[in-house]
Amino acid sequence: MPTEIERKFLVTGTQWRQVSGVRICQGYLNRDKERTVRVRIAGDNAWLTIKGVSRGAARLEFEYAIAPAEAEQLLALCDGPVIQKIRHTLPYKGFTWEVDEFLEENAGLVVAEIELIAEDQPFERPAWLGREVTDDPRYFNANLAVHPYREWRGA
């Protein structure tokens, strides 16, 4: 089974800004807590992704490349607003970190993700890595679409 094991952290400072990023536009066709169905456009590429319920840092993930024109049509069918962000991909000590700099209603939020082969796999933390938010549902992209960072960051 295709399983994604991903840990998520807040980002501090600006040392991570060493590489340019790609703009991502993504929306959700289904945001049920048992499964999400996401459509994403990143640069000239697009995907349809189905993710199962998170159990710790792990969940089932099925991802399929689709034509960008089809992705545009699917974005119009999405449940809730579309998320805009810039993804910066950084190698660090044998791992690839994806740093998402959110835009629009989620501006000010910067989150780093690392994919692992086991939940307890050791890795060295970059200096710009802040508090872990893997288990905090507020930081799930599907939640940010309908409960944007701008609304709750001061709460």
Side-chain angles (χ1 to χ4, degrees), residues 2 36-41 45-51 60-68 70-71 74:
T36 59
V37 180
R38 174 187 77 202
V39 60
R40 173 184 280 173
I41 299 173
N45 300 301
W47 298 268
L48 185 65
T49 305
I50 302 148
K51 294 186 178 196
L60 289 175
E61 179 183 58
F62 304 89
E63 190 163 67
Y64 307 97
I66 61 174
E70 291 176 1
L74 288 171

Side-chain angles (χ1 to χ4, degrees), residues 6 23 30 33 38 45 50 90-91 98 104-105 113 118 123 128 134 140 147:
E6 180 179 83
R23 189 175 185 99
N30 183 19
K33 62 194 280 191
R38 174 187 77 202
N45 300 301
I50 302 148
L90 298 93
E98 293 176 334
E104 297 180 354
E105 291 298 308
E113 298 174 349
F123 59 89
W128 41 261
T134 300
F140 297 171
H147 302 291

Side-chain angles (χ1 to χ4, degrees), residues 101-132:
E101 180 180 12
F102 288 85
L103 307 171
E104 297 180 354
E105 291 298 308
N106 290 297
L109 178 61
V110 182
V111 175
E113 298 174 349
I114 184 173
E115 287 201 23
L116 304 168
I117 58 173
E119 286 191 56
D120 60 353
Q121 181 180 0
F123 59 89
E124 190 169 329
R125 294 172 59 103
W128 41 261
L129 206 60
R131 175 172 64 90
E132 184 165 5

Side-chain angles (χ1 to χ4, degrees), residues 23-88:
R23 189 175 185 99
I24 292 176
C25 178
Q26 71 184 41
Y28 290 86
L29 297 166
N30 183 19
R31 290 180 296 101
D32 184 278
K33 62 194 280 191
E34 296 296 317
R35 76 205 56 79
T36 59
V37 180
R38 174 187 77 202
V39 60
R40 173 184 280 173
I41 299 173
D44 296 330
N45 300 301
W47 298 268
L48 185 65
T49 305
I50 302 148
K51 294 186 178 196
V53 65
S54 294
R55 304 203 190 290
R59 62 184 163 183
L60 289 175
E61 179 183 58
F62 304 89
E63 190 163 67
Y64 307 97
I66 61 174
E70 291 176 1
E72 290 283 352
Q73 291 177 326
L74 288 171
L75 283 173
L77 299 176
C78 285
D79 176 18
V82 172
I83 289 197
Q84 303 282 340
K85 60 186 178 180
I86 298 172
R87 173 161 288 170
H88 306 266

